[in-house]
Amino acid sequence: MYQHRDWHGALLDFPVNKVVCVGNNYADHIKEMGGKRSAEPVVFIKPETALCDIRQPVAIPKDFGAVHHEVELAVLIGTPLKQATEDRVANAIAGYGLALDLTLRDLQTQLKESGQPWEKAKGFDGSCPVSGFIPVSEFGDAQQAELLLEINGQTRQSGNTRDMLTPLLPLIAYMSRFFTLRTGDIILTGTPHGVGPLHAGDEILATLNGKQVATRVI
């Protein structure tokens, strides 16, 4: 069962709740997917059952087509937020980590084409492997964070959070207009370009500001 931890693996005293995510938050990713920039952030939710520890082997579904990796900055919420200002958001963040927003890409394409919601493609069990969290006081500027994802020794994704279309604080404030963000909720902030398929046996190395976490696909 997933539990929040710090970057070194120690348990954190936060409940485990939902994951609130944003799509299309990097222009280069929108371009690679052939999409268009939305007037407002594209927000969706992964349930608690999507969460798993990225340090453990990542199990991907076998019967729903391609499973794509999307590396993202993850934000741990430390105090509740509802209709929050950006100042309140800044004071509510407990830490930052890495996450993989695993996506059933073939299924997502089918759902989009038929006008249906994405949840089956985005919120399936184990679809959100997440690292431990680095406290805000130790992290530095989260709007200048380097993200890197390597698969089998080859760089697949490389980006910086300064390129977000909707920056962190206004993004989380926007989310809090629609969903009360509770202590222990995680925010996923979008992925840079380079998304692609995962296969059993792949070795994954994800890096956040030089801090690395490794896992493999089963």
Side-chain angles (χ1 to χ4, degrees):
M1 180 179 295
Y2 172 82
Q3 293 178 282
H4 295 309
R5 296 178 182 270
D6 70 14
W7 189 267
H8 304 290
L11 288 174
L12 296 175
D13 189 22
F14 291 100
V16 177
N17 289 309
K18 62 186 179 292
V19 184
V20 186
C21 314
V22 63
N24 297 339
N25 203 26
Y26 288 79
D28 53 4
H29 174 58
I30 295 174
K31 183 177 180 181
E32 76 174 340
M33 299 304 294
K36 295 181 180 180
R37 182 174 178 177
S38 302
E40 295 187 4
V42 178
V43 175
F44 60 96
I45 287 179
K46 290 176 181 274
E48 173 189 337
T49 49
L51 286 163
C52 58
D53 190 331
I54 199 172
R55 298 172 305 168
Q56 302 300 316
V58 174
I60 58 174
K62 303 296 192 294
D63 302 320
F64 299 103
V67 182
H68 278 203
H69 58 77
E70 299 186 9
V71 68
E72 311 201 8
L73 178 73
V75 182
L76 179 64
I77 299 299
T79 56
L81 293 169
K82 182 178 178 65
Q83 303 289 335
T85 64
E86 292 181 28
D87 285 343
R88 283 186 57 210
V89 171
N91 290 326
I93 294 173
Y96 300 99
L98 277 168
L100 296 179
D101 172 14
L102 299 183
T103 304
L104 297 172
R105 190 68 73 196
D106 295 337
L107 179 57
Q108 185 190 38
T109 299
Q110 296 170 15
L111 294 168
K112 285 181 177 180
E113 290 175 350
S114 61
Q116 296 184 45
W118 299 357
E119 273 76 8
K120 288 184 288 186
K122 286 284 193 178
F124 58 91
D125 288 356
S127 63
C128 191
V130 65
S131 74
F133 290 91
I134 302 165
V136 171
S137 60
E138 300 175 12
F139 191 81
D141 186 357
Q143 206 61 73
Q144 298 284 336
E146 293 281 351
L147 297 167
L148 181 68
L149 187 75
E150 298 173 63
I151 307 292
N152 301 325
Q154 296 186 336
T155 298
R156 291 276 190 91
Q157 292 188 263
S158 178
N160 191 292
T161 57
R162 64 172 171 261
D163 296 322
M164 289 179 180
L165 297 176
T166 305
L168 287 168
L169 299 185
L171 172 64
I172 298 172
Y174 176 86
M175 290 172 168
S176 78
R177 291 168 51 191
F178 301 92
F179 313 107
T180 297
L181 302 177
R182 294 180 171 173
T183 301
D185 281 354
I186 292 175
I187 307 299
L188 297 194
T189 56
T191 194
H193 77 287
V195 304
L198 290 172
H199 303 95
D202 282 346
E203 299 288 337
I204 298 174
L205 183 66
T207 306
L208 174 62
N209 283 349
K211 294 180 178 291
Q212 296 182 326
V213 60
T215 190
R216 62 186 177 88
V217 181
I218 59 173

